[in-house]
Amino acid sequence: MAMTDVLRPGHVSLRVLDLEAGIHHYKNVLGLIETGRDSQGRVYFKSWDERDHNSVLIREADEAGIDFFAFKVSSRGALEKLDGRLREYGIPTERIPAGEMLETGERVRFRLPSGHDIELYADKTDVGNGMSYVNPDPWTKDAERGIAPIRMDHCLLYGPDIEKVHDIFVNVLGFYLVEHVVMEDGETDLGIWLSCSMKAHDIAFVRHPEPGKLHHISFMLDSWEKVLRAADIMSMNRVSVDIGPTRHGVTRGTTIYAFDPSGNRFETFSGGYQSYPDWKPIKWTWDEVGAGIFYHDRALNERFLSVVS
Ligand SMILES: [Fe+2]
């Protein structure tokens, strides 16, 4: 249920150090479906139950990290409206023509004060999830290959100026704050979790001095049992696991953090509560930040705040 012009996270473009190792990871270990390759050398993937052509792109580069994260909006009219609102707010926008990304319409790109490039787009080809739109079966064989998440769900980005980022998402893009973690002064946000839907988060930010950093891209599973299965598959494939399986206090999701072969952190999670825009945001205080991030350990591991790509 879209409650704003922004429907949902749509795609992420990641840099990997070795394309073949990246393809193996995203296709065979994470279990996404490869949907195309373009003339720029980008490889496109989607989760088995996503219907649009792509949600994850990887390209080879000298440094790992994120190129851009995109949201699908409800219509071309909404795209025009949001582009105008961004420019009115003082944020320059760039138009990327339809077709620059495979099966994807025109995109509006802008840079956040945190140093991250965000895109909005209205059109992407519906290639379906492999099941009929009439009398469908519940799943396909792709739902059992690798970890096989349902969808690319959200991201957590690290960068400076998260107050300005918060203001842009709430007052320009129509998101709302679901949860936040405050620092020792009890006021300044260390982290913010924002939603454009009924999900507990569609995007999140943590304060960090270096701009444009990726903490993790998250993929949704439909049960705690599948989170445990994902941990088995990670071990079978010698994936570098950061933490978990465990539970977040923030959003209540059950989770594993791990790294792709290039050091980009990814999350496989299930659960988390459903939220509404009229709900009062939940606050986590500095003394309980450990439980907020990792509810069972009640302590942050060193890597959570320091390792980003
Ligand atoms: Fe997450």
Side-chain angles (χ1 to χ4, degrees):
M1 182 171 71
M3 290 181 280
T4 68
D5 293 324
V6 181
L7 291 177
R8 60 172 180 271
H11 58 249
V12 61
S13 183
L14 296 171
R15 298 187 298 271
V16 297
L17 304 177
D18 181 303
L19 192 62
E20 286 311 314
I23 291 168
H24 173 71
H25 171 82
Y26 286 94
K27 193 196 283 190
N28 301 322
V29 180
L30 191 52
L32 304 181
I33 297 166
E34 183 184 331
T35 56
R37 299 187 185 200
D38 70 16
S39 58
Q40 296 182 39
R42 297 181 295 195
V43 183
Y44 293 62
F45 300 94
K46 68 185 272 296
S47 293
W48 71 270
D49 206 19
E50 288 174 320
R51 300 175 183 192
D52 285 356
H53 178 269
N54 59 73
S55 59
V56 176
L57 286 70
I58 61 172
R59 72 174 179 95
E60 192 166 272
D62 293 337
E63 216 181 328
I66 185 168
D67 283 331
F68 49 83
F69 189 85
F71 292 93
K72 190 173 191 184
V73 304
S74 58
S75 65
R76 287 184 199 179
L79 188 67
E80 296 301 328
K81 183 169 97 184
L82 291 165
D83 187 7
R85 292 183 65 172
L86 284 162
R87 282 185 279 110
E88 255 170 55
Y89 189 89
I91 300 169
T93 62
E94 178 191 353
R95 294 278 181 146
I96 299 166
E100 193 274 344
M101 256 179 66
L102 294 182
E103 305 295 334
T104 304
E106 187 179 29
R107 290 130 66 205
V108 170
R109 182 183 290 178
F110 58 97
R111 180 158 292 182
L112 291 171
S114 57
H116 300 96
D117 286 337
I118 300 291
E119 296 183 347
L120 306 173
Y121 68 94
D123 300 302
K124 189 174 290 197
T125 306
D126 174 359
V127 297
N129 59 6
M131 296 177 285
S132 176
Y133 279 96
V134 181
N135 308 326
D137 293 317
W139 47 273
T140 69
K141 61 179 173 25
D142 286 318
E144 296 200 315
R145 187 175 44 78
I147 294 169
I150 292 165
R151 65 178 179 234
M152 191 278 288
D153 187 85
H154 65 268
C155 64
L156 171 56
L157 305 176
Y158 272 38
D161 271 342
I162 63 171
E163 290 79 10
K164 281 189 207 151
V165 170
H166 182 179
D167 193 51
I168 292 161
F169 271 92
V170 170
N171 293 315
V172 181
L173 300 175
F175 285 56
Y176 63 99
L177 182 70
V178 181
E179 301 206 21
H180 59 141
V181 173
V182 295
M183 300 180 72
E184 282 163 300
D185 66 5
E187 286 176 17
T188 310
D189 281 330
L190 172 68
I192 52 175
W193 282 257
L194 297 152
S195 179
C196 62
S197 65
M198 286 175 63
K199 290 158 59 187
H201 55 337
D202 288 299
I203 194 166
F205 292 86
V206 163
R207 182 184 303 280
H208 187 71
E210 217 181 332
K213 298 311 243 181
L214 170 68
H215 187 271
H216 68 266
I217 295 294
S218 187
F219 297 90
M220 189 181 192
L221 302 169
D222 59 10
S223 70
W224 170 233
E225 195 177 4
K226 289 201 173 146
V227 175
L228 298 178
R229 178 179 172 275
D232 292 340
I233 291 170
M234 289 179 196
S235 186
M236 287 171 194
N237 289 279
R238 307 298 187 266
V239 169
S240 171
V241 173
D242 183 4
I243 194 163
T246 184
R247 181 196 285 279
H248 291 307
V250 176
T251 77
R252 301 186 205 149
T254 53
T255 181
I256 308 169
Y257 285 150
F259 295 99
D260 79 2
S262 303
N264 294 308
R265 189 187 278 98
F266 69 100
E267 174 180 39
T268 54
F269 86 105
S270 73
Y273 58 87
Q274 296 194 335
S275 185
Y276 290 100
D278 62 319
W279 282 9
K280 188 175 169 181
I282 289 170
K283 175 159 89 173
W284 292 84
T285 56
W286 183 254
D287 54 320
E288 289 289 327
V289 64
I293 304 302
F294 299 123
Y295 188 66
H296 297 160
D297 290 355
R298 305 193 74 83
L300 290 182
N301 66 359
E302 164 59 25
R303 292 181 299 276
F304 181 84
L305 285 174
S306 60
V307 177
V308 290
S309 64

